[in-house]
């Protein structure tokens, strides 16, 4: 718990809060100010908008501890506010609310816009209010109400107030609190029990039969080895897994079935998918299919994917591997993610995989250990290291006169 | 939808923040305005043990104007720039870009440094500041270093920052008064993540003609010398489509429809630079 002291609607509040408590929960649950509504809880809908240091912020993605010493105004605090009163009258007159769920946020953002807007032009109001969603879609009335208040005030000679009067730099609400140190932070033990259990559960083929990918993409890479060697290598499930960054297998693995986990780290996001897959191979066409599913134990994202591959002999010692990756993501990662990001991450994963397969087929000792999780900076340095090594080898050859090989 | 439990620290100076960031016994995440991190914490995509809030560090909210550049502290918000609290050395470019980021409630807390460190390909600053030729000022335990912005972002959510390092500010060169710029982004909904970004800057007195294609799913694609791209006519119609498409293909942006949308954004950015 961390001590926080702030002003809410003019009243000083001292409290001990968990650092993870966001401002909206704090004002609703501990102050009983339930006029602030929570809609999406990840900064999209605008229902939770409150004023911090006089300017609107989203209280669902602002932690209460970060507002120490700040001045917070909720919808309940606008009772005696001039602009608030004008907006309430205009909202009633223009039928600017239906169910009312978005209204506190609309009034907060509307008040800020009334203070700052130069002119009451409809397009400008629509753009400025685009961060507040009304699921009853009553935007026409809302825009008219705000428009009429801006027009009224400007005609009475009340000019716009740049920045709603705030001049301090930095995030609204910051800069007031004393420094807060840390005592000993004990590393939280991530519960692995559930994960291990899930890894042992195999997904039945019939469950995989009827699903359609949400997104798919094609990718290819070239290996400098004969097609027969590459084909045999792809048949060795354990060896293939060793080349996949972050992958490790559990006991339940055979030529047609594989189970295990896959760790992926992308910037601050770390996921560990536990799951299994069925493998199909057709030697006649040098093609195969890996159909699997997995679940991340930490944030409960589930994924289902199918990788189809085909080998093509480019020359005697060169093989092209063509991949088609289809996948479906559900859960938090899907809610957040955008398909273009998944594509970029998968491309990097495949690039490292191709590099590792090439190294292993070439009998390189560096690929003997399982590949670590995907990590962009590590990837960058490994590519750099390879370049340096290659240059160094060339220099050595030149020095010893063996430049012919 | 609540984040996992974490501890919270709010250091008063840079040295204390760096010391906390260097701890390797716990998962540490630095937070500034938290407008991108907040949703990811709520969705539990990020599960830190310790959150280090750097917004109480006065040094990070400073703005320093020099003869040939301006240095903006990393904790200066988009709204601060939108409202003109930062001297304009870019012929209005910074202000225009800032005013188009997400929504006002987000701009009141979201910071320029936080946006860069978060390294979302669809964010505005990474593309805009790449076109402007900015540098990122990084503080670590030992020393300060500067990285040209092209070398800062490594990929989706990945940067050049090492453990314990912090971005303290962004240095942006002063444009000459004859400079012309254009910025255009395509969003499915106003204020949401951009689907395509085009940026164009022409500053003949400083021998700069740069174009950037952003929101690519990875790093922005930079045409450091865009003279060949725009041609002698300097009109959006004169854009060398093949050159632009080749650039996108080389950076893995291969889908023809995506390429078309990015081309349109760049063309409109060039048109805006030309005053239309």
């Amino acid at each position: 718990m961390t001590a926080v002291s702030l002003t809410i609607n003019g009243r000083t509040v001292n409290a001990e809060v968990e650092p993870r408590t966001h401002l909206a929960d704090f004002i609703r649950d501990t102050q009983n100010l339930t006029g602030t509504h929570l809609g999406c809880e990840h900064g999209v809908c605008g229902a939770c908008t409150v004023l911090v240091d006089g300017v609107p912020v989203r209280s669902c993605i602002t932690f209460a501890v970060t507002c120490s010493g700040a001045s917070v105004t909720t919808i309940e605090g606008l009772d005696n506010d001039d602009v608030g009163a004008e907006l309430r009258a205009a909202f009633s007159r223009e039928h600017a609310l239906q169910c009312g769920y978005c209204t506190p946020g609309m009034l907060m953002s509307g008040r800020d816009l009334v203070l700052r807007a130069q002119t009451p032009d409809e397009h400008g109001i629509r753009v400025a209010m685009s961060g507040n969603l009304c699921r009853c879609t009553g935007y026409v009335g809302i825009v008219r109400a705000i428009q009429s208040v801006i027009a009224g005030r400007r005609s009475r000679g009340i000019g716009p107030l740049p920045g709603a009067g705030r001049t301090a730099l930095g995030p609204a609400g910051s800069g007031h609190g004393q420094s807060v140190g840390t005592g000993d932070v004990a590393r939280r033990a991530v519960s692995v029990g559930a994960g291990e259990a899930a890894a042992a559960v195999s997904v039945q083929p019939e469950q995989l039969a009827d699903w359609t990918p949400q997104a798919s993409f094609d990718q290819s890479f070239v290996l400098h080895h004969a097609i027969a060697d590459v084909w045999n290598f792809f048949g060795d499930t354990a060896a293939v897994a060793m080349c996949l960054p972050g992958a490790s297998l559990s006991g339940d693995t055979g030529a047609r079935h594989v189970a295990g986990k896959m760790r992926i780290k992308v910037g601050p996001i770390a996921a560990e998918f536990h799951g299994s897959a069925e493998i199909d191979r057709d030697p006649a066409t040098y093609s195969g299919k890996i159909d699997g599913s997995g679940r991340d134990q930490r944030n409960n994202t589930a994924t289902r994917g199918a990788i189809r591959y085909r080998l093509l002999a480019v020359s005697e010692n060169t093989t092209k591997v063509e991949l088609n990756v289809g996948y479906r993501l559900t859960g938090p990662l899907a809610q957040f993610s955008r398909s273009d990001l998944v594509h970029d991450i998968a491309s990097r994963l495949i690039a490292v995989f191709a590099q590792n397969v090439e190294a292993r087929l070439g009998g390189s000792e560096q690929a003997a250990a399982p590949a670590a999780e995907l990590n962009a900076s590590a990837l960058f340095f490994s590519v750099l290291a390879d370049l340096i090594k290659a240059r160094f080898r060339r220099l050595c050859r030149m020095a010893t006169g063996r430049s012919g090989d | 939808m609540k984040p996992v439990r974490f501890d919270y620290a709010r250091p008063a100076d840079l040295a204390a923040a760096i010391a906390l960031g260097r701890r390797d016994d716990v998962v540490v995440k630095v937070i500034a305005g938290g407008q991108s991190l907040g949703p990811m914490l709520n969705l539990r995509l990020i599960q830190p043990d310790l959150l280090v809030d750097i917004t109480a560090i006065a040094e990070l909210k400073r703005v320093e104007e020099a003869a040939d550049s301006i240095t903006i502290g990393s904790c200066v918000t988009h709204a601060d720039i939108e409202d003109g609290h930062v001297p304009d050395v870019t012929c209005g470019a910074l202000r225009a870009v800032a005013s188009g980021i997400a929504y006002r409630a987000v701009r009141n807390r979201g910071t320029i440094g936080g946006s860069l460190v978060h390294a979302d390909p669809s964010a505005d600053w990474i593309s805009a500041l790449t076109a402007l030729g900015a540098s990122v000022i990084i503080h670590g335990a030992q020393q300060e270093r500067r990285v040209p912005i092209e070398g800062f972002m490594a990929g989706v959510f990945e940067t050049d920052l090492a453990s314990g390092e912090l971005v303290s500010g962004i240095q942006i060169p002063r444009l000459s008064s004859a400079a012309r710029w254009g910025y255009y982004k395509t969003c499915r909904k106003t204020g949401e993540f951009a689907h395509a970004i085009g940026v164009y800057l022409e500053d003949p007195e400083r021998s700069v003609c740069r174009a950037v294609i952003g929101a690519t799913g990875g790093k922005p694609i930079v045409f450091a010398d865009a003279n060949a791209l725009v041609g002698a006519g300097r009109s959006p119609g004169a854009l060398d489509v093949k050159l632009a498409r080749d650039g996108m293909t080389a950076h893995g942006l291969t889908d023809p429809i995506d390429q078309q949308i990015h081309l349109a954004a760049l063309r409109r950015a060039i048109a805006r630079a030309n005053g239309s």
Side-chain angles (χ1 to χ4, degrees):
Chain A
M1 301 291 256
T2 303
V4 61
S5 170
L6 66 166
T7 308
I8 299 179
N9 299 335
R11 195 167 46 86
T12 303
V13 174
N14 296 301
E16 290 274 323
V17 295
E18 264 195 87
R20 65 168 171 167
T21 307
H22 57 60
L23 186 58
D25 274 350
F26 180 71
I27 54 192
R28 286 175 55 87
D29 296 352
T30 73
Q31 304 302 305
N32 207 24
L33 295 168
T34 54
T36 299
H37 291 170
L38 277 166
C40 70
E41 236 180 326
H42 64 291
V44 174
C45 78
C48 69
T49 308
V50 298
L51 302 180
V52 174
D53 293 345
V55 297
V57 307
R58 293 194 178 324
S59 60
C60 75
I61 50 172
T62 301
F63 295 108
V65 282
T66 65
C67 295
S68 196
S71 163
V72 176
T73 307
T74 67
I75 190 71
E76 293 90 344
L78 290 190
D79 283 359
N80 300 313
D81 178 75
D82 288 350
V83 182
E86 286 179 47
L87 276 171
R88 283 195 297 274
F91 267 56
S92 298
R93 188 178 64 243
E94 302 291 348
H95 303 285
L97 67 159
Q98 191 172 319
C99 83
Y101 202 83
C102 70
T103 311
M106 288 287 177
L107 288 171
M108 285 296 174
S109 294
R111 179 187 182 275
D112 177 65
L113 185 60
V114 166
L115 289 178
R116 293 187 302 111
Q118 298 280 342
T119 56
D121 85 286
E122 189 194 326
H123 179 75
I125 292 170
R126 284 186 177 272
V127 169
M129 294 299 292
S130 63
N132 289 75
L133 303 182
C134 167
R135 290 297 77 184
C136 310
T137 67
Y139 296 107
V140 171
I142 294 166
V143 171
R144 273 190 197 141
I146 294 170
Q147 209 168 7
S148 70
V149 176
I150 297 172
R153 289 175 71 88
R154 298 294 170 268
S155 71
R156 299 203 304 277
I158 306 170
L161 182 63
R166 182 172 186 262
T167 52
L169 298 186
S174 74
H176 311 289
Q178 300 285 312
S179 77
V180 176
T182 48
D184 289 329
V185 180
R187 192 186 171 89
R188 285 173 303 105
V190 176
S191 155
V192 291
E196 298 303 330
V201 177
S202 68
V203 179
Q204 299 305 309
E206 54 269 26
Q207 275 181 271
L208 294 172
D210 59 336
W211 71 280
T212 46
Q214 198 171 39
S216 68
F217 58 88
D218 297 312
Q219 186 104 14
S220 67
F221 56 89
V222 171
L223 296 169
H224 299 95
H225 296 276
I227 191 164
D229 295 342
V230 176
W231 177 251
N232 286 338
F233 178 79
F234 273 38
D236 182 349
T237 315
V240 170
M242 292 270 270
C243 293
L244 203 55
S248 59
L249 301 179
S250 62
D252 189 16
T253 293
R256 299 289 305 275
H257 177 84
V258 59
K261 63 186 179 187
M262 172 111 181
R263 285 172 59 81
I264 295 175
K265 187 180 172 304
V266 185
I269 303 173
E272 187 172 284
F273 288 96
H274 293 252
S276 63
E278 303 305 317
I279 303 165
D280 250 346
R281 274 160 66 82
D282 177 13
T285 56
Y286 284 120
S287 65
K289 186 183 173 195
I290 302 157
D291 205 336
S293 69
R295 183 176 286 278
D296 174 52
Q297 301 304 314
R298 302 217 311 169
N299 69 33
N300 221 20
T301 293
T303 181
R304 199 158 244 217
I307 302 170
R308 287 184 168 77
Y309 66 87
R310 195 158 68 108
L311 308 185
L312 297 167
V314 179
S315 70
E316 196 187 333
N317 280 318
T318 317
T319 305
K320 187 180 183 191
V321 182
E322 287 183 343
L323 298 174
N324 172 272
V325 182
Y327 64 90
R328 175 178 281 279
L329 272 177
T330 52
L333 204 54
Q335 195 172 352
F336 176 80
S337 187
R338 311 191 297 279
S339 61
D340 55 337
L341 305 188
V342 175
H343 192 169
D344 184 71
I345 293 159
S347 298
R348 277 159 37 202
L349 202 71
I350 292 165
V352 181
F353 174 72
Q355 202 180 328
N356 290 340
V357 172
E358 182 75 48
R360 277 187 76 98
L361 280 168
S364 162
E365 70 283 2
Q366 74 172 47
E373 69 202 14
L374 178 72
N375 181 314
S377 44
L379 169 58
F380 172 74
F381 286 116
S382 76
V383 172
L384 196 70
D386 285 351
L387 276 174
I388 293 168
K389 269 188 236 155
R391 294 247 164 92
F392 186 69
R393 273 199 299 271
R394 213 172 304 143
L395 275 175
C396 290
R397 280 186 205 134
M398 276 152 70
T400 53
R402 292 171 54 225
S403 57
D405 59 359
Chain B
M1 203 158 63
K2 313 295 170 199
V4 293
R5 286 197 175 82
F6 51 74
D7 287 290
Y8 174 77
R10 186 171 55 232
D13 57 62
L14 210 48
I18 290 166
L20 286 166
R22 287 176 66 82
R23 288 186 56 166
D24 55 9
D25 55 332
V26 290
V27 177
V28 182
K29 185 75 191 100
V30 170
I31 186 169
Q35 298 303 284
S36 296
L37 199 60
M40 289 167 102
L41 285 165
N42 283 3
L43 289 163
R44 298 199 176 190
L45 294 176
I46 305 177
Q47 307 192 359
D49 299 307
L50 172 65
L51 211 57
V52 178
D53 178 356
I54 57 169
T55 61
I57 303 171
E59 196 181 336
L60 301 182
K61 299 181 190 177
R62 271 211 303 256
V63 177
E64 284 165 16
E65 193 178 358
D68 59 351
S69 69
I70 192 166
T71 301
I72 301 177
S74 55
C75 284
V76 168
T77 66
H78 318 315
D80 293 335
I81 297 168
E82 176 186 14
D83 292 344
H85 295 313
V86 172
D88 179 27
V89 301
T90 58
C91 304
L94 288 181
R95 233 175 137 166
V97 171
S99 66
I101 297 173
Y103 319 105
R104 181 71 183 182
V106 170
R107 299 198 289 275
N108 280 327
R109 280 192 58 81
T111 66
I112 186 168
S115 172
L116 289 181
V117 173
H118 185 61
D120 187 315
S122 293
D124 296 76
W125 285 130
I126 185 70
S127 292
L129 293 171
T130 299
L132 289 168
S135 307
V136 183
I137 304 167
I138 298 169
H139 272 83
Q142 306 303 323
Q143 69 217 14
E144 175 191 316
R145 64 187 179 104
R146 273 158 207 259
V147 180
I149 199 156
E150 290 97 314
F152 180 69
M153 182 173 166
V156 176
F157 304 138
E158 299 273 3
T159 68
D160 183 43
L161 281 183
S163 157
E165 283 188 323
L166 277 179
V167 170
S168 61
I170 293 98
Q171 188 179 33
I172 301 158
R174 183 185 292 273
L175 303 186
S176 74
S177 56
R180 290 180 301 154
W181 60 269
Y183 182 82
Y184 190 91
K185 65 171 170 176
T186 306
C187 304
R188 292 236 170 91
K189 173 192 167 286
T190 306
E192 275 306 313
F193 290 107
H195 193 68
I197 291 176
V199 205
Y200 178 67
L201 171 70
E202 197 180 315
D203 193 357
E205 285 180 30
R206 292 170 53 246
S207 307
V208 171
C209 179
R210 206 178 285 134
V212 173
I213 292 175
T216 59
K219 291 175 67 164
I221 300 166
V222 189
F223 296 87
D225 178 1
N227 280 297
L229 196 65
V230 292
R234 289 284 189 268
S235 75
L239 183 72
D240 188 330
V241 172
K242 187 181 178 303
L243 208 58
R245 281 192 189 272
D246 287 350
M248 287 189 267
T249 305
H251 285 83
L253 188 71
T254 50
D255 184 82
I257 296 169
D258 277 344
Q259 285 192 351
Q260 189 59 38
I261 297 169
H262 282 83
L263 269 177
L266 182 59
R267 213 177 249 132
R268 290 178 192 186
I270 296 169
R272 286 187 170 180
N274 290 328
S276 51

